[in-house]
Amino acid sequence: MDKRMVLEELRAYYRQLKGTTEYLVKAVDGVNLEVYKKDILGLVGESGCGKSTLAKTMMIDLTPPLQYMGGRLEIISRDGERFEIGQFKSRDEVKRRLWGKHITYVPQDALNALMPTIRIKKIAYDVLRSHNNDINFQEAVKTTKERLAELDLPDYVVELYPFQLSGGMRQRVVLAMATLLNPEILIVDEPTSALDVTTQKIVLKSLLKLRKLNLVDSIIFITHDIATVRQIANRIVVMYAGKIVEVGPVDSVIRDPLHPYTKGLIDSVTSIEPEKREKGISYIPGQPPNLIDPPKGCRFHPRCPYAMDVCKKEEPGVVEVGKTQVACWLYEGGRKND
Ligand SMILES: Nc1ncnc2c1ncn2[C@@H]1O[C@H](COP(=O)(O)OP(=O)(O)OP(=O)(O)O)[C@@H](O)[C@H]1O
């Protein structure tokens, strides 16, 4: 399969000063993942588990207090050009060579990211000109109208100011601006959480369209919402306390979650199905750990109903169960018996 990104034991920590003592917040701590062409990955996990930090690290957007601590990150372009995290001398170089062109990130607060007093056509012109100094304004407007049409937005949107757009329209315009240069990888952080259900669906449709038309090769969709992941993603990536604990095809992970944490996450989703509602709302007991001093062994062990002695002492390796990869001692040497 065509790889677009490879992460091996990737680590990025925040340096935090309390008084005169420095602490390290281990937000991305030994992450392994391969992203393929045509992938739509749903990256899920509780608040604070490191999803946004992983996105920033994938973007090689490492500014203090966030610091790269080791491991590999490789981005592979459609033409086979390879970019390694360690090769860049400055953030400016990363910005010039990677952002927008090969990888792009739409952050959580993207709805407010567009300058309200600059017309869409001028914003798009600036994006396109940052990678092609020779482009003229008319060409830039034409390219922008084409991309807007691909996302089912009318031509006249180029003439508008961001404050004139509704939430859903603005989110699609943000997606259009972020993908004007057809980057291989698009990372979107909670793109639908501030929208009503109907508008959410329109935004999800736009994302699927970007993928289907090959305007982007791979999408990483960060969310708390497993129902949304089910609608859009082909694979689900479950993160807990700075680590990936399970990766697999979306349907099989949701139907038959392997890691006890994934099971807890899925069980805690409120359901509209009466038989599930009757069981009541379940939740994962306890709190996620402090990432300055996470538990030894498996980081989930203090909250895990299946925790064994080994879980408290040693970190589990990754085991393949069917098409799913899971980091859990229950599966070392075979399938869990229960
Ligand atoms: N600037 C910072 N300095 C120190 N620690 C930080 C900083 N930003 C985030 N963290 C910590 O890093 C950890 C991971 O945070 P991150 O925002 O990546 O999680 P998340 O899974 O994206 O959460 P959410 O779903 O709430 O956005 C958390 O413990 C958080 O408190």
Side-chain angles (χ1 to χ4, degrees):
M1 267 191 282
D2 254 356
K3 285 180 200 165
R4 287 291 173 260
M5 184 154 56
V6 178
L7 282 63
E8 280 174 12
E9 291 302 317
L10 188 62
R11 284 180 290 131
Y13 298 169
Y14 293 99
R15 288 186 176 278
Q16 206 179 54
L17 210 58
K18 280 189 185 162
T20 53
T21 314
E22 191 183 62
Y23 296 93
L24 295 174
V25 182
K26 302 181 181 87
V28 171
D29 202 16
V31 166
N32 296 293
L33 184 68
E34 292 189 339
V35 181
Y36 303 105
K37 183 179 173 185
K38 298 198 177 171
D39 249 340
I40 302 186
L41 297 184
L43 176 59
V44 299
E46 279 165 300
S47 193
C49 71
K51 303 181 296 295
S52 303
T53 311
L54 181 57
K56 278 190 215 156
T57 312
M58 286 169 167
M59 290 294 291
I60 321 185
D61 186 9
L62 299 153
T63 44
L66 184 60
Q67 192 177 343
Y68 166 63
M69 302 299 283
R72 260 190 81 218
L73 168 73
E74 186 177 49
I75 293 167
I76 304 140
S77 80
R78 292 185 188 96
D79 308 334
E81 199 177 352
R82 288 168 183 268
F83 303 93
E84 290 265 359
I85 194 167
Q87 79 179 62
F88 295 97
K89 293 191 179 58
S90 65
R91 188 169 179 268
D92 266 356
E93 190 190 346
V94 178
K95 198 170 164 184
R96 188 166 35 81
R97 295 191 57 198
L98 276 187
W99 292 356
K101 231 164 144 182
H102 298 293
I103 185 163
T104 195
Y105 177 49
V106 177
Q108 275 179 38
D109 55 359
L111 286 179
N112 303 320
L114 298 172
M115 281 288 285
T117 51
I118 301 180
R119 283 185 209 270
I120 302 302
K121 61 183 181 187
K122 172 73 169 70
I123 298 174
Y125 174 54
D126 289 344
V127 171
L128 290 164
R129 206 178 42 160
S130 68
H131 287 275
N132 175 7
N133 235 334
D134 299 333
I135 195 162
N136 70 43
F137 192 69
Q138 296 316 320
E139 275 176 80
V141 171
K142 184 167 170 278
T143 306
T144 309
K145 283 183 178 170
E146 282 165 9
R147 179 52 43 90
L148 292 172
E150 279 154 352
L151 297 184
D152 305 312
L153 288 161
D155 267 14
Y156 69 78
V157 167
V158 290
E159 301 296 338
L160 301 180
Y161 293 97
F163 75 82
Q164 294 175 301
L165 302 168
S166 66
M169 243 188 176
R170 217 182 321 161
Q171 188 62 286
R172 281 188 291 155
V173 169
V174 168
L175 288 176
M177 299 294 116
T179 58
L180 276 172
L181 299 159
N182 300 348
E184 282 88 359
I185 304 162
L186 165 66
I187 307 174
V188 278
D189 204 342
E190 295 281 3
T192 54
S193 58
L195 306 172
D196 65 76
V197 181
T198 315
T199 318
Q200 275 181 13
K201 287 221 184 316
I202 296 170
V203 172
L204 292 182
K205 219 174 117 199
S206 297
L207 281 166
L208 286 169
K209 222 167 162 196
L210 284 169
R211 172 65 282 294
K212 223 171 176 172
L213 295 173
N214 286 322
L215 303 174
V216 300
D217 277 4
S218 327
I219 298 176
I220 299 168
F221 187 101
I222 302 175
T223 183
H224 292 107
D225 181 9
I226 293 193
T228 307
V229 171
R230 187 170 216 168
Q231 289 180 59
I232 187 167
N234 61 314
R235 292 199 293 151
I236 186 164
V237 179
V238 184
M239 208 169 167
Y240 184 76
K243 291 183 177 289
I244 289 177
V245 295
E246 184 160 353
V247 182
V250 101
D251 286 340
S252 69
V253 172
I254 290 178
R255 199 180 47 241
D256 184 20
L258 298 178
H259 199 285
Y261 176 64
T262 316
K263 197 171 157 23
L265 260 192
I266 290 168
D267 286 349
S268 61
V269 173
T270 39
S271 178
I272 51 163
E273 293 163 41
E275 63 280 18
K276 286 197 183 157
R277 247 185 336 180
E278 265 166 31
K279 280 204 243 162
I281 300 170
S282 81
Y283 63 96
I284 307 170
Q287 294 293 321
N290 179 343
L291 293 180
I292 292 174
D293 185 21
K296 211 170 162 255
C298 170
R299 291 186 178 179
F300 187 58
H301 87 253
R303 303 172 75 188
C304 181
Y306 305 100
M308 305 174 284
D309 256 4
V310 66
C311 310
K312 297 171 192 161
K313 293 178 195 143
E314 285 178 56
E315 201 178 310
V318 173
V319 183
E320 304 242 352
V321 181
K323 288 186 176 159
T324 299
Q325 294 163 332
V326 59
C328 175
W329 281 111
L330 291 170
Y331 302 90
E332 290 283 331
R335 262 220 77 143
K336 182 184 151 208
N337 308 310
D338 61 358

